[in-house]
Amino acid sequence: MWVRRTSRHPRTCQAMLAIFWLTLGVQLVSTSSDSDPYKILGVGRSASQAEIKRAYKTLAKEWHPDKNKDPKAEDMFIKISKSYEILSNEERRSNFDRYGQMDENQPFGQSQHHGFHGFHNSFYFDESFFHFPRSRDFADSKYLLHHAQFNSDVLPESHKRPYLIKVTSEWCFACIHIEPVWKETVQELEPLGIGIGIVDLGYERRLANQLGAHRAPSIIGLVNGRVTFFHQAVVREHIRQFIEDLLPQKLVEKVTDNNYQAFLDNWHAGNKPSILLFDQVPFPSLLYKLTAFAFRDYVRFGYVDQGDTQNNRILQQFNINTYAPTMLLFKEDTEKPVDIIQARGMKRQIMDEFVSNNKFLQVPRLVNQQLFDELCPVKQFHRRRKYCVLLITGEDQAFLPGNKAFLDFASANSKEVLRFAYVYQRHQQPLCQALLHNQATLSPQVVILERRSQAGRVFFRSVSGGWNGSEEDKYRLHEQLELLQKDPTYLTSDTTLPELNNEMAPIFIIQWINAAYDYILQLYDDLLYSNWREMMPILSLIFSALFILFGTVIIQAFSEPGESKPRKPKPKEPPQTEDDASSRATTTSRPPKKDFVEVTELTDLTYTSNLVKLRPGHINVVLVLTNASKTTLLRKFAKEVFSFSGTHNLHFSFLNADKHRHWMPSLLHSTSAVQDQGCDEDEESSDYSGYVLALNGHKKYFCLFRPVFTGDDPNDSSSESFFSSDSRRKSRSRSRSSSHSRSRSHSREDGAGGKRGSGRATSIEVHHKLDRLGLWMERLMEGTLPRLQIPAWPILDEATNNLSTES
């Protein structure tokens, strides 16, 4: 019995499996047809964009939820809209034709099996028999933003009204939690004039990257083209305060009895009308701030708290009703408002209409091209002619009566086809020269003009007789305006006007400060709230730049000048001319790389490395000193050789003659010149302090500098040298060709010889012994100093050995 049951079991399973696959196949077919944008719109795959657009408009009108009461109308309308989004975009349409790709975020090639793709969608979304809801609320579909729409419409409009944008996606479960708060906020803020937008991360990845939104849900505020993220708890009051904080701080000025007269009198300097709002609350409402933001370029806004006791005088003067908010609009007359509106619960549409009808003064001053375009628009139709009556005047006190008379005339003759304005000749000289035929005039002039093209072409006529505000001038102007309305050809002159100067443009420093302030705020906001993963590229760039900067400074600080790269020994140079010597002096005396001169002492430890085994091509400049003269001579030595310390093949040392007193006599006696002359000076009593030697350890030669007296007797030439008179004359001629100051130097720089020279040197003060060392160093760099050859360098510790022997 059990065997029979088991034999039936496979048949039952096969039947159930067949039923399941049959049901699944039906579902796949229906799902595939429901997700095909061509079938949804009812067009073929070769349909043109015009056919697709025509089909979309027809189906959108048929299935619009406001016109079609079918329960499935809303879902069908969404499918139609998404299908049109795919097929109207050539790139997304091509992706669908190749891969069956509905979502532009999905990698190519993952949707080639349409049946599995449809089943996958229906398993997770509402098209399936599992009934998982995913369709977006129809109320949100009208707020969806696209990349092109954002840049062409929303971004420019953010300079007139702020935008609140929500970033969401289809897989965002957190978005579901904030949806009720979002709907309440939209219902509250949209009637106030705030723009609402929704960005889908799945469909508008390019726009999300432009906004810097990489997470869902995100709430963004857009004001003046600047993107700011909302980082607080998603509560309606917080979002409302977030939008209010994004508005500029000085949109509405607080007005009291102390400053209301100055506020109203500012119409002349600001060239704007003024609006005062009277209300019982201590702060202006968000609606009033949004209106001020939209019209901030045209009107100045002030606010008066009726509950403040400091405002009794202004309330009495304008007879304000304290039971309802009141708005007064003032122009040139600060004693009487030109328009009044008073109502409880003012609507945005009423306030916009109230302000837009009065956003210009009776006679505004032309301060920029935008204002000129709005006051005097270009003629479009014969019946819509508008004439601009322009007063060209000055800003001095002498012109005030004529300007006031022109204002009175404009107030008395206000008509729809006439616009009155004035311009200061000093601020708008190109415009005035074009209208006055380049004739400078000191008296005000009135010009009637009509614009004919955006390029600046106008027809105009100057009123004869000028303008000084007299009754005769008013009569003459009125007569010509009457003739103009009867005969439009009355304007006989034509010209092309240049673009007006922007008198209200902020200076460059103010613009730079504002831009820097906005950038710092944006950077602070990014560092404080942004995801650190998103900030890693910027942080990596900053730390890399700092590492390179400080690494370079540290390496330069601890590196030796000669350690950068080995120097090859210089080849033997041919005899130089005077010009070559002069040019070489200018190139070798480079400024040092350090702000100090490194001078080492020649001792038993450093003698071999600094002299005997000195690298080829390198010279060690050694100063001989004593314990008594050490400080003074080292300071003077560093000062004289500082300009040569940047040369890589020069080293600087000093030798203490008190410690090694036999070294100098041994060196001098080892030279052939000294031996030939048979110098018999006393080695023990000679004062070698102040002597300087340039030692070439590799080639075994040195150049000698002896202290030279620099007193008042320039003709004293009793000092003799070790060398012949011919070499002395050659060295003097080379010195004269190098510079004017070197013409005074002679063979004393090479080393004075004889007992007279030695006696003169001993009488020199210590701080004067190295006065001519700088000139000697220049000749050393030129290669014009005599070189004294020696067979071998003396031993440094010979002095110590001799001392021990004597004892």
Side-chain angles (χ1 to χ4, degrees):
M1 192 69 180
W2 181 81
V3 176
R4 294 177 63 184
R5 288 180 181 176
T6 55
S7 62
R8 292 178 183 175
H9 183 70
R11 297 178 181 177
T12 307
C13 292
Q14 292 176 359
M16 293 181 62
L17 187 60
I19 295 173
F20 173 76
W21 284 113
L22 180 61
T23 307
L24 180 60
V26 174
Q27 178 67 21
L28 291 178
V29 172
S30 62
T31 302
S32 177
S33 61
D34 290 345
S35 60
D36 190 346
Y38 292 102
K39 294 183 179 180
I40 293 175
L41 294 181
V43 296
R45 290 184 174 269
S46 60
S48 63
Q49 288 294 333
E51 296 174 349
I52 293 173
K53 187 174 184 180
R54 192 180 308 114
Y56 165 71
K57 288 184 176 180
T58 303
L59 293 175
K61 292 179 181 179
E62 178 184 354
W63 290 98
H64 197 284
D66 294 342
K67 298 181 180 180
N68 195 325
K69 302 304 180 182
D70 192 329
K72 298 181 180 180
E74 183 176 329
D75 293 339
M76 189 61 186
F77 184 81
I78 294 176
K79 292 180 182 180
I80 294 171
S81 300
K82 289 187 176 181
S83 299
Y84 179 70
E85 289 178 7
I86 295 173
L87 298 184
S88 61
N89 189 315
E90 293 295 341
E91 182 179 357
R92 297 178 65 180
R93 181 181 180 180
S94 176
N95 293 337
F96 179 82
D97 292 341
R98 293 181 182 181
Y99 312 108
Q101 182 181 352
M102 293 284 290
D103 187 355
E104 65 178 2
N105 250 359
Q106 183 176 353
F108 297 152
Q110 290 189 3
S111 313
Q112 294 180 2
H113 304 287
H114 299 286
F116 180 76
H117 176 72
F119 174 73
H120 178 79
N121 284 343
S122 48
F123 181 84
Y124 286 98
F125 302 115
D126 61 338
E127 295 94 36
S128 75
F129 50 86
F130 291 98
H131 302 292
F132 281 7
R134 77 176 269 275
S135 62
R136 182 181 289 111
D137 188 359
F138 173 74
D140 290 345
S141 61
K142 64 178 180 180
Y143 301 122
L144 288 175
L145 297 179
H146 307 286
H147 183 265
Q149 173 197 2
F150 176 82
N151 289 280
S152 61
D153 299 334
V154 176
L155 201 59
E157 197 175 357
S158 67
H159 293 270
K160 295 183 179 180
R161 66 167 178 166
Y163 266 81
L164 189 66
I165 302 174
K166 181 182 71 171
V167 180
T168 183
S169 67
E170 294 178 346
W171 290 93
C172 176
F173 295 101
C175 300
I176 302 176
H177 297 289
I178 70 169
E179 193 66 25
V181 180
W182 173 259
K183 290 183 178 180
E184 293 178 2
T185 305
V186 170
Q187 293 175 0
E188 178 186 1
L189 297 182
E190 189 177 17
L192 302 181
I194 296 177
I196 305 297
I198 296 178
V199 177
D200 193 325
L201 281 176
Y203 290 95
E204 292 294 337
R205 175 65 63 181
R206 185 180 177 187
L207 176 57
N209 292 335
Q210 180 179 347
L211 295 173
H214 306 286
R215 298 189 302 267
S218 297
I219 297 178
I220 298 174
L222 181 67
V223 176
N224 286 330
R226 181 171 176 264
V227 175
T228 306
F229 281 82
F230 175 76
H231 299 290
Q232 300 179 2
V234 184
V235 183
R236 185 179 60 180
E237 290 76 12
H238 291 173
I239 299 177
R240 179 189 177 96
Q241 188 62 40
F242 167 69
I243 287 293
E244 192 167 354
D245 293 339
L246 292 180
L247 299 175
Q249 298 297 322
K250 297 182 179 180
L251 282 175
V252 180
E253 184 177 347
K254 186 177 181 180
V255 179
T256 62
D257 287 346
N258 300 326
N259 66 341
Y260 82 93
Q261 195 62 46
F263 175 81
L264 297 178
D265 289 338
N266 193 258
W267 67 268
H268 188 270
N271 199 38
K272 299 177 183 178
S274 302
I275 290 181
L276 283 179
L277 172 64
F278 297 82
D279 204 350
Q280 292 285 352
V281 293
F283 300 103
S285 63
L286 178 59
L287 174 60
Y288 188 64
K289 289 184 178 180
L290 293 172
T291 305
F293 178 73
F295 294 94
R296 66 188 184 279
D297 294 333
Y298 302 96
V299 182
R300 298 179 67 245
F301 290 82
Y303 178 75
V304 180
D305 181 11
Q306 296 180 358
D308 193 348
T309 57
Q310 298 180 356
N311 300 328
N312 293 331
R313 185 174 61 184
I314 186 175
L315 296 176
Q316 295 176 1
Q317 178 175 351
F318 297 111
N319 193 20
I320 301 300
N321 185 358
T322 59
Y323 298 100
T326 306
M327 291 179 63
L328 305 182
L329 191 141
F330 297 85
K331 292 187 177 181
E332 286 87 350
D333 188 1
T334 60
E335 301 295 332
K336 182 180 179 181
V338 296
D339 203 352
I340 301 176
I341 181 175
Q342 186 176 38
R344 292 182 179 271
M346 290 187 184
K347 303 297 182 181
R348 177 61 189 267
Q349 183 179 1
I350 298 176
M351 297 182 68
D352 287 351
E353 184 178 357
F354 175 76
V355 179
S356 60
N357 291 336
N358 299 279
K359 63 180 183 179
F360 298 118
L361 296 171
Q362 291 284 353
V363 184
R365 177 164 60 97
L366 297 183
V367 294
N368 52 47
Q369 186 66 32
Q370 179 184 357
L371 182 59
F372 184 46
D373 293 339
E374 295 191 43
L375 284 175
C376 304
V378 178
K379 171 196 170 184
Q380 296 180 351
F381 304 103
H382 177 74
R383 295 183 179 180
R384 299 182 61 180
R385 291 179 181 271
K386 288 186 181 296
Y387 301 101
C388 191
V389 184
L390 183 63
L391 172 65
I392 301 176
T393 181
E395 53 187 326
D396 297 335
Q397 293 291 332
F399 296 97
L400 291 182
N403 299 345
K404 180 64 170 57
F406 187 77
L407 174 61
D408 296 338
F409 179 86
S411 302
N413 296 272
S414 177
K415 295 181 180 180
E416 181 64 25
V417 296
L418 295 178
R419 295 291 179 87
F420 293 86
Y422 71 100
V423 62
Y424 286 148
Q425 185 174 1
R426 186 171 64 89
H427 296 304
Q428 302 292 344
Q429 292 184 0
L431 173 69
C432 299
Q433 290 176 0
L435 294 176
L436 299 177
H437 303 286
N438 297 322
Q439 295 179 1
T441 176
L442 299 177
S443 60
Q445 299 288 328
V446 177
V447 178
I448 306 173
L449 59 90
E450 179 188 10
R451 299 186 65 187
R452 291 296 180 91
S453 69
Q454 293 288 351
R457 186 167 181 264
V458 297
F459 283 84
F460 70 97
R461 182 171 187 145
S462 299
V463 179
S464 59
W467 178 268
N468 56 16
S470 63
E471 293 298 328
E472 182 181 356
D473 293 338
K474 293 180 181 180
Y475 177 78
R476 189 185 307 111
L477 177 58
H478 185 271
E479 182 182 13
Q480 295 195 15
L481 290 177
E482 292 292 335
L483 293 175
L484 176 63
Q485 295 183 20
K486 296 178 182 179
D487 183 13
T489 61
Y490 182 72
L491 303 179
T492 55
S493 303
D494 68 314
T495 186
T496 300
L497 298 181
E499 186 173 350
L500 272 68
N501 301 325
N502 190 358
E503 302 178 20
M504 296 298 181
I507 59 177
F508 173 75
I509 297 297
I510 302 299
Q511 293 179 343
W512 185 86
I513 292 176
N514 294 334
Y517 177 75
D518 293 339
Y519 178 78
I520 292 174
L521 288 181
Q522 185 69 30
L523 183 63
Y524 171 79
D525 184 74
D526 292 341
L527 292 175
L528 186 63
Y529 297 108
S530 292
N531 187 358
W532 287 104
R533 183 184 63 182
E534 302 167 5
M535 295 295 295
M536 282 304 296
I538 300 178
L539 295 177
S540 175
L541 179 63
I542 294 175
F543 282 111
S544 299
L546 293 176
F547 177 79
I548 294 174
L549 177 63
F550 286 103
T552 304
V553 172
I554 292 174
I555 291 174
Q556 290 182 352
F558 287 94
S559 63
E560 293 293 336
E563 291 179 358
S564 57
K565 58 180 180 179
R567 296 276 182 170
K568 294 183 179 180
K570 294 183 179 180
K572 188 173 182 180
E573 299 176 354
Q576 299 177 350
T577 62
E578 296 181 0
D579 295 338
D580 295 339
S582 177
S583 62
R584 183 174 176 180
T586 58
T587 57
T588 54
S589 301
R590 296 193 303 267
K593 290 185 177 181
K594 299 180 180 180
D595 56 353
F596 61 91
V597 179
E598 184 178 357
V599 183
T600 59
E601 183 179 4
L602 285 181
T603 61
D604 299 339
L605 300 177
T606 61
Y607 183 74
T608 301
S609 60
N610 289 355
L611 178 59
V612 179
K613 295 184 178 180
L614 195 62
R615 282 180 290 181
H618 287 245
I619 295 177
N620 195 349
V621 181
V622 180
L623 168 67
V624 182
L625 48 77
T626 60
N627 292 330
S629 62
K630 181 177 181 180
T631 303
T632 304
L633 288 180
L634 279 178
R635 185 181 296 110
K636 181 70 173 178
F637 179 71
K639 180 180 179 181
E640 293 291 331
V641 302
F642 176 74
S643 60
F644 304 92
S645 59
T647 307
H648 296 298
N649 60 346
L650 284 185
H651 307 274
F652 301 96
S653 305
F654 70 90
L655 178 73
N656 195 330
D658 292 338
K659 296 180 181 180
H660 312 283
R661 58 180 178 176
H662 288 281
W663 189 84
M664 275 294 296
S666 301
L667 179 67
L668 296 178
H669 282 297
S670 63
T671 60
S672 59
V674 175
Q675 291 174 356
D676 293 341
Q677 290 188 7
C679 179
D680 57 350
E681 61 182 353
D682 187 9
E683 303 175 30
E684 304 295 335
S685 61
S686 296
D687 180 16
Y688 295 105
S689 62
Y691 280 54
V692 179
L693 302 99
L695 309 176
N696 190 319
H698 179 69
K699 292 187 177 182
K700 295 187 177 69
Y701 72 83
F702 68 93
C703 301
L704 180 64
F705 169 83
R706 291 196 179 196
V708 181
F709 178 71
T710 57
D712 297 331
D713 186 8
N715 298 323
D716 186 6
S717 58
S718 60
S719 175
E720 300 294 336
S721 66
F722 290 123
F723 323 111
S724 64
S725 60
D726 293 338
S727 63
R728 181 160 61 252
R729 284 192 296 268
K730 292 179 181 179
S731 63
R732 286 177 181 172
S733 63
R734 294 191 184 99
S735 300
R736 293 190 195 99
S737 64
S738 300
S739 63
H740 175 70
S741 61
R742 201 180 300 171
S743 63
R744 298 180 56 191
S745 64
H746 42 78
S747 62
R748 295 172 182 173
E749 300 173 4
D750 305 337
K755 294 182 179 181
R756 289 184 61 187
S758 176
R760 178 67 61 91
T762 57
S763 64
I764 302 174
E765 297 183 6
V766 175
H767 61 278
H768 286 306
K769 287 188 174 185
L770 303 179
D771 284 347
R772 293 186 178 272
L773 180 60
L775 300 176
W776 184 82
M777 287 294 299
E778 290 185 4
R779 295 184 57 191
L780 173 66
M781 300 305 298
E782 295 171 1
T784 59
L785 290 178
R787 300 176 179 179
L788 304 180
Q789 298 288 338
I790 59 172
W793 296 108
I795 300 175
L796 187 63
D797 58 352
E798 180 182 354
T800 307
N801 296 336
N802 293 340
L803 287 175
S804 60
T805 303
E806 292 176 1
S807 60

